[in-house]
């Protein structure tokens, strides 16, 4: 087995967390390639090292004295080194960084030092090789990531290494200068490494024990999802926060490399496996419940619209010309509704209404706002009869008024539209009927 | 009260039926304006007089001897006159018609004689004035119906009449020649009369006691709908046969004139009232169940499609360019499905698939055929919680696999996609839970 393991910022925020990470890596000799993030927040209200670096560099760029800010950053790392009892000095490293700040080497360089220094500490601690991603991760002249050159360089560079620490988040331009990925980009680095060396598993260690079946702000202590397919994850993450960086997951899944989301603070928890597909039967009929507030619906009524070739296209074209995407388009016989993001729609409302009148001469246009969408997702729904019945009975019992239902032919999800104020009640009712009731 | 009453072909097929109609009209002095159709089938396998006229005229047009066909038509009317014991001779009328057939006056003229002659008999029988629609119903030079001129002419012509019989189905071109509406056009005549004279009620007498809650081929003796709104009727009729001519109903409803569908053979039955809107609470939560087999679904999968402005428009444009309409477009997160008429889709299948590949570069296109759509319709669904729950629980219990769900924001209907083979079981399950269970 060959595992690539990536640790998030909270897993490396201080010496205590760092020690947990070291123990985790040492406990499994398959964990051979390590991708560290920069140190994250140690407590609520703390500042991430990456943000400290951005702000310190801004001072340097403006010609201000950044000494104090710089010392604070140095202290963060020194605390980790001392806490771990390591015999390591980063003085030379910091001298180089300070010099480069003074020479205004760039914001990307500055931000990347958080991961770089953490990588140095990690490599020393584990006795692993340190491989700087500037040697392998290539961007082109325009700053676009170069997939093919990167893959080739990585294979070559890592071929001889038994173990290595590779800082996440950045690579190099053709002139050798540092270029970063977008925020959360350490997962991109990890996924590139896993792909290049044909890893068997990619572990993503964070501060949660995997994906939860529902939002913990709505459901107290929701059950952790043990196995989720990539498609299910997409359908759920789309409507809420995601643990994984989308651009990182897709290439891995396409290569057939499963992702294991684990909790650094509870290494005994198995976490969530993200896979392309699986025969693994889900424990509950549904895999999870996602959702989001703040949608609006535009319902267009027109007698005989179904016989009008091009009707739907003309309606959607109006939204497109206004620069809007849409979520769902449920339709009746003489009605066609478009569900959109309310925030995005509000400034364009009158433009869209006027456009619809011009485009399709509707009998009536009705707007409804403050709607929420709840997505009930699960590969198990296809094989279980009565899922829809249970969902809607539960919602009725909870006095939730169902405004919209959309189930595509994928049979992987049912999407329900409710009023914003019914959002939490809807999620609770669905969670209770499928999970609480069978615990 | 001022009522316009229209009788369908089966209500006037022979003397016995004719007598029922006369009794119905005489029993209510408000029934002042009567629109007769041509005599319909007297028994299974019989020929409608309109079809006899078309076929007879075709012989005349081809210069063949149409004597025997013509005598058969004369006999149909003579049987009615004799059966009613009327002192009426249509000899002069038939002489004129025969002459016009020989002079090839036109197919529309020929077809219209069915209603014309029935109108003559009806007027004589009731002692009502006979008003020929050629005096009032106007088409323009291109053969398009002229709404405004007709309305004006009707008001003027009928102003002085206490009662009148006005044959359905035809009017006149500017040169005075006869022009017919499409088949079933007697309802158009009736609706024009009702509108022009501001009738309080339009009665449509046929051989059914109103709209049924479900297809009698699927449900034995389904309950008759007592009151249905125009919108509900549209949603139901769209998916199955309709008693009323669509072009006739819309103008009436817009004028606020309710339509009462009645049964000539059971005049004691109250029939179905079709209204624009009503406070009348439906007896059951649902008003009716419609449905149709023979749909196909095209499901397009593409990662991140929701973020792609114009995605839906491009998909629908492919169908539009192939000259196709669509029924529904349920969508998930990375999937967008289009439900279409399978028969219409089959010859265009490969064109559409190629078009979709060009237009949106999908990850995957999946086709599914032999699907049926079931529409559960009812204004009562909005006020009753749990309707969706009951529907889907009933379907699960009946082992029906739900392929698609679409509920727009109108809350007037829920549309369910099932396999063709589950169509009847689905309708039965829904009917039973809402109707049989509460009988």
């Amino acid at each position: 087995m060959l595992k690539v393991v990536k640790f998030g910022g909270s897993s490396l925020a201080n010496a205590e967390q760092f020690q947990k990470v070291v123990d985790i890596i040492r406990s499994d000799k398959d964990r051979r390639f390590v991708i560290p993030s920069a140190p994250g927040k140690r407590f609520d209200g703390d500042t991430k090292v990456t943000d400290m670096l951005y702000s310190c560099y801004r001072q340097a760029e403006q010609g201000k004295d950044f000494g104090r800010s710089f010392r604070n950053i140095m202290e963060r790392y020194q605390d980790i080194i001392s806490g771990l009892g390591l015999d390591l000095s980063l003085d030379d490293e910091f001298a180089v960084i300070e010099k480069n700040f003074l020479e205004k080497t760039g914001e990307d360089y500055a931000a990347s030092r958080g991961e770089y220094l953490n990588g140095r500490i990690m490599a020393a601690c584990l006795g692993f090789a340190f491989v700087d991603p500037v040697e392998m991760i290539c961007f082109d002249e325009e700053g676009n990531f170069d997939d093919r050159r990167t893959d080739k360089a990585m294979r070559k560079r890592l071929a001889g290494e038994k173990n290595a620490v590779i800082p996440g988040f950045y690579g190099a331009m053709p002139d050798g200068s540092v270029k970063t990925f977008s925020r959360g980009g350490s997962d991109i680095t990890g996924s590139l490494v896993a792909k290049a060396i044909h890893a068997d598993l990619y572990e993503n260690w964070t501060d949660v024990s995997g994906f939860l079946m529902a939002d913990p702000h709505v459901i107290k202590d929701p059950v952790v999802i043990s196995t989720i397919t990539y498609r299910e994850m997409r359908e759920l993450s789309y409507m809420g926060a995601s643990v994984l960086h989308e651009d990182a997951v897709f290439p891995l899944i396409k290569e057939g490399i499963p992702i294991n989301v684990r909790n650094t603070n509870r290494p005994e928890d198995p976490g969530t496996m993200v896979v392309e597909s699986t025969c693994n039967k889900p424990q509950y009929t549904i895999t999870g419940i996602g959702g989001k507030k703040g949608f609006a619906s535009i319902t267009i009524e027109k007698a005989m619209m179904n016989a009008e070739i091009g009707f739907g296209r003309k309606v959607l074209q109006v939204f497109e010309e206004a620069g809007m995407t849409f979520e769902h388009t449920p339709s009746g016989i003489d009605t066609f509704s478009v569900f959109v993001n309310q925030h995005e729609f509000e400034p364009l409302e009158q433009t869209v209404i006027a456009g619809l009148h011009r485009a399709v001469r509707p009998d009536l246009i009705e707007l409804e706002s403050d709607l929420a969408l709840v997505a009930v997702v699960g590969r198990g729904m296809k094989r279980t009869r009565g899922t829809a019945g249970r969902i809607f009975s539960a919602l009725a019992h909870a006095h939730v008024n169902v405004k919209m239902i959309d189930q595509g032919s994928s049979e992987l999800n049912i999407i329900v539209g409710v009023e914003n104020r019914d959002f939490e009640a809807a999620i609770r009712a669905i969670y209770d009927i499928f999970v609480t009731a069978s615990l």
Side-chain angles (χ1 to χ4, degrees), chain A:
Chain A
M1 277 277 265
L2 176 49
K3 296 179 185 172
V4 172
V5 293
K6 177 246 164 183
F7 292 88
S10 66
S11 300
L12 300 166
N14 57 26
E16 191 193 346
Q17 290 299 92
F18 230 99
Q19 188 58 55
K20 291 181 190 169
V21 168
V22 169
D23 293 344
I24 287 165
I25 296 168
R26 284 194 179 139
S27 72
D28 182 350
K29 62 172 180 33
D30 294 335
R31 292 180 178 134
R32 286 170 44 197
F33 293 87
V34 182
I35 319 292
S37 301
K41 292 181 185 180
R42 292 159 296 183
F43 45 83
D44 268 3
D46 193 19
T47 310
K48 292 178 179 179
V49 165
T50 305
D51 289 321
M52 293 169 82
L53 285 161
Y54 275 122
S55 123
C56 179
Y57 182 73
R58 219 167 297 125
Q59 291 172 306
E61 209 172 31
Q62 291 164 1
K64 291 184 189 161
D65 175 18
F66 60 91
R68 199 177 149 192
S69 306
F70 200 76
R71 275 191 302 279
N72 284 340
I73 296 166
M74 288 171 75
E75 244 166 57
R76 287 287 304 259
Y77 285 100
Q78 196 50 57
D79 283 352
I80 293 172
I81 293 169
S82 316
L84 289 168
L86 270 186
D87 178 24
L88 175 71
S89 164
L90 292 178
D91 290 351
D92 294 349
E93 301 287 355
F94 277 113
V96 172
I97 295 169
E98 191 172 11
K99 184 174 148 281
N100 283 328
F101 270 41
L102 283 165
E103 287 173 5
K104 301 177 186 173
T105 318
E107 198 180 43
D108 279 16
Y109 167 80
S112 74
R113 294 306 92 184
E115 279 76 9
Y116 173 84
L117 293 166
N118 249 5
R120 284 285 178 201
I121 299 173
M122 182 71 80
C125 202
L126 291 166
F128 283 18
F130 175 86
V131 179
D132 195 321
V134 293
E135 298 177 47
M136 312 184 295
I137 295 180
C138 314
F139 291 83
D140 67 16
E141 303 285 351
E142 278 84 46
N144 298 313
F145 171 64
D146 187 334
D147 196 1
R148 294 177 70 170
R149 277 186 53 217
T150 298
D151 197 58
K152 211 176 147 192
M154 254 184 191
R155 278 170 209 266
K156 205 176 153 196
R157 177 64 187 83
L158 298 178
E161 302 292 351
K162 193 179 177 311
N163 333 77
V165 173
I166 306 147
F169 187 40
Y170 69 98
M173 299 286 286
D175 66 2
S177 65
V178 166
K179 166 89 186 149
T180 58
F181 292 112
S182 62
R183 275 252 161 155
S186 289
D187 262 319
I188 301 183
T189 309
S191 109
L192 294 172
V193 172
K195 215 179 118 189
I197 65 170
H198 302 297
D200 298 296
L201 183 67
Y202 176 74
E203 288 180 347
N204 181 307
W205 292 80
T206 86
D207 54 358
V208 291
S209 289
F211 288 113
L212 302 172
M213 287 192 74
D215 184 346
H217 298 102
V218 179
I219 305 292
K220 197 171 168 284
D221 295 329
V223 168
V224 171
I225 300 167
S226 63
T227 303
I228 189 169
T229 66
Y230 171 66
R231 292 264 326 256
E232 290 177 316
M233 193 195 69
R234 278 277 305 149
E235 309 232 1
L236 284 172
S237 69
Y238 168 72
M239 291 200 166
S242 169
V243 177
L244 297 171
H245 194 292
E246 181 58 52
D247 293 340
V249 177
F250 192 55
L252 276 184
I253 293 296
K254 275 189 100 169
E255 291 290 309
I257 302 170
I259 301 166
N260 192 191
V261 176
R262 299 287 291 266
N263 189 346
T264 301
N265 303 315
R266 294 178 59 89
E268 66 279 15
D269 288 350
T272 301
M273 287 291 284
V274 184
V275 298
E276 194 192 8
S277 60
T278 177
C279 290
N280 176 299
K281 266 193 199 157
Q283 194 182 353
Y284 308 98
T285 304
I286 64 170
T287 299
I289 309 164
K292 212 160 128 183
K293 290 184 184 181
F295 293 95
S297 74
I298 300 95
T299 298
I300 299 135
E301 286 191 26
K302 187 180 184 184
M304 323 281 183
M305 68 163 67
N306 286 60
E308 202 175 318
I309 290 182
F311 188 88
R313 190 268 305 161
K314 286 177 203 160
V315 168
L316 294 185
Q317 187 145 5
V318 170
F319 287 87
E320 181 182 354
E321 280 164 9
M324 290 191 66
T325 57
F326 64 89
E327 303 300 321
H328 300 286
T329 53
S331 58
I333 304 304
D334 288 335
T335 63
F336 187 87
S337 299
V338 183
F339 275 70
V340 294
N341 181 302
Q342 183 168 341
H343 183 70
E344 212 184 301
F345 177 62
E346 269 165 1
L348 300 166
E349 185 187 87
Q350 297 307 317
T351 311
V352 169
I353 292 176
L356 289 171
H357 276 288
R358 268 196 308 275
V360 295
R361 308 237 156 262
D363 297 336
L364 187 69
I365 295 179
E366 267 183 306
L367 301 183
E368 191 158 4
S369 57
D370 302 319
L371 298 174
L373 293 175
V374 175
V376 188
V377 174
R379 62 191 183 280
M381 286 160 61
K382 195 166 183 164
R383 95 183 88 199
T384 315
R385 275 190 301 119
T387 309
R390 290 172 79 190
I391 292 172
F392 295 109
S393 299
L395 291 176
H397 199 252
H399 296 257
V400 169
N401 196 3
V402 174
K403 310 291 287 183
M404 191 272 277
I405 306 173
D406 191 339
Q407 185 203 306
S409 49
S410 81
E411 294 173 75
L412 195 68
N413 69 67
I414 294 179
I415 291 157
V416 184
V418 300
E419 289 171 45
N420 273 349
R421 59 172 180 189
D422 284 339
F423 180 67
E424 286 82 8
I427 291 177
R428 261 180 235 121
I430 297 167
Y431 185 86
D432 284 348
I433 197 78
F434 287 104
V435 185
T436 315
S438 58
L439 280 179

